[in-house]
Amino acid sequence: MIRTPLALLVLGSSAFGAEPALPSSEGLQRTEGGFVLEYRGERFEVDPAVVSIKINDPTLSYGAILRSGPSEAGRAFDANLLGRLEPIRSNRLGWHDLRVPADVDLLDAIEALLATGRIDKVEPSTIGSYTSVPNDPMFDEQWAMQNSGQTGGTSGADMNAVAAWSINPGSDEVVIAVIDSGVNYNHEDLDSNMWKNLADASMDGVDDDANGFIDDYHGWDFVDGVNEPFTSGSHGTRVAGCVAAARNNGIGIAGIAGGDGATRGCLMMPLAVGSAFPVGSALDDAIIYAADNGARVITMSLTVGFSDAIVDAVEYATVERGCLVLCAAGNNGSDVGFPA
């Protein structure tokens, strides 16, 4: 699921004087099985059970909108329908995810939300995909780091990792958030370089550091809303290996920032946003969490449809928190996808 504008249905207050604009055939489309959203030539399956909104008055909650009625720019709306939309989660940038009951049509819910005149943006939720990553078990096969032509490629066409390690092999003063399917933080090649939230290490059912997440010692799963960021998906563990698998430990592969054996490498913060596929309505919350909890780098090896909620989160992380945000792009010769 990803917050994605409805073709692009991110409607501002100028639309409230007339009937709400519904998505064109270039965006949200109804199909026999439900809805799809097209963005830059790619089609994303839409989850009809989730819609995301940004309220134009940050002091208002979703419940307050229902109690206060329409704004002066609004129209009569179906209060009973809107009362059945269940708030799932909210973030500090003013985005709210709502659960849409199975017997409520997605477009009916969107029209009723826009009719209040109190909502700046409405986005449906689409299902994205994780991008492929190398999964070689031995360093001499990691041609991207040191290319000797071992796979028939051009010798020297690599990232000069060995030379870079002589300058800095990776430092545990740098936290890298791996926003993905989750990470096996107990993996023998990863555990020494895993981030821990020491401020909430008691695991006592109390939010000891008052960051809004209870017992997030290992990180967080933003789809299931639990403190266990190790799901059944293996993609995130492979990405974490590329980032900072321990080097010179005689095990598996060498991560690009995995230390030198004598010192730890960069620390990986595991944040899960969907086991089998990335759930975009959780992605912005993961980005904000990473920025607020000490990550200096955020990496996302995934692609989803466009979302203003994610744009807001990336801007917050980069501009307000000084994070470097990295995204996969152009895997397997494909066009550059969002959020890259």
Side-chain angles (χ1 to χ4, degrees):
M1 311 169 228
I2 168 158
R3 299 178 173 134
T4 312
L6 297 177
L8 296 172
L9 208 177
V10 179
L11 302 181
S13 57
S14 61
F16 294 137
E19 290 297 310
L22 293 179
S24 71
S25 59
E26 295 179 355
L28 186 70
Q29 303 169 31
R30 191 188 295 275
T31 66
E32 267 188 43
F35 298 92
V36 297
L37 187 136
E38 186 169 309
Y39 177 68
R40 290 186 176 176
E42 289 191 70
R43 288 165 66 88
F44 295 90
E45 179 184 346
V46 170
D47 181 357
V50 177
V51 67
S52 302
I53 63 173
K54 190 169 189 180
I55 299 171
N56 55 28
D57 182 348
T59 66
L60 289 178
S61 65
Y62 181 65
I65 287 180
L66 301 185
R67 292 190 296 271
S68 61
S71 70
E72 293 182 3
R75 310 184 309 279
F77 60 89
D78 189 339
N80 290 330
L81 185 156
L82 293 188
R84 298 181 61 207
L85 304 185
E86 176 190 358
I88 303 172
R89 58 179 167 255
S90 302
N91 68 37
R92 64 186 301 146
L93 304 185
W95 285 92
H96 307 263
D97 297 337
L98 307 175
R99 181 78 64 193
V100 181
D103 61 342
V104 173
D105 186 82
L106 179 62
L107 290 183
D108 290 343
I110 290 169
E111 182 173 354
L113 288 164
L114 292 173
T116 66
R118 297 183 180 277
I119 295 172
D120 280 337
K121 297 175 182 179
V122 180
E123 298 185 348
S125 203
T126 68
I127 295 172
S129 61
Y130 292 116
T131 52
S132 59
V133 297
N135 192 25
D136 302 309
M138 301 174 65
F139 177 67
D140 61 7
E141 296 177 14
Q142 292 181 261
W143 58 267
M145 293 190 180
Q146 187 175 51
N147 194 341
S148 62
Q150 63 268 55
T151 60
T154 303
S155 180
D158 53 43
M159 64 177 70
N160 288 321
V162 174
W165 286 332
S166 68
I167 301 172
N168 192 326
S171 167
D172 61 6
E173 294 182 2
V174 176
V175 175
I176 302 173
V178 180
I179 298 180
D180 212 285
S181 65
V183 176
N184 178 2
Y185 47 78
N186 292 320
H187 190 288
E188 60 181 357
D189 210 10
L190 304 178
D191 61 352
S192 63
N193 287 338
M194 294 306 303
W195 169 86
K196 302 289 194 302
N197 181 11
L198 299 179
D200 209 353
S202 60
M203 304 295 281
D204 56 0
V206 177
D207 182 9
D208 295 309
D209 56 355
N211 70 347
F213 299 86
I214 296 174
D215 294 342
D216 54 326
Y217 177 61
H218 292 293
W220 199 257
D221 181 337
F222 288 86
V223 174
D224 293 329
V226 296
N227 64 340
E228 180 49 84
F230 177 24
T231 72
S232 60
S234 63
H235 188 272
T237 297
R238 291 187 286 142
V239 170
C242 293
V243 172
R247 188 163 63 91
N248 289 334
N249 65 347
I251 300 171
I253 65 171
I256 188 63
D260 58 11
T263 61
R264 299 173 75 189
C266 294
L267 303 185
M268 294 170 284
M269 176 191 292
L271 304 177
V273 292
S275 177
F277 48 77
V279 175
S281 57
L283 198 58
D284 56 319
D285 299 310
I287 295 169
I288 295 168
Y289 177 97
D292 285 346
N293 287 275
R296 292 179 59 187
V297 180
I298 298 170
T299 182
M300 296 181 282
S301 291
L302 51 82
T303 182
V304 293
F306 178 82
S307 164
D308 267 308
I310 295 174
V311 170
D312 285 353
V314 170
E315 182 175 359
Y316 171 77
T318 55
V319 177
E320 296 193 34
R321 292 294 188 177
C323 297
L324 173 65
V325 178
L326 307 175
C327 307
N331 284 63
N332 301 318
S334 63
D335 291 335
V336 176
F338 184 83

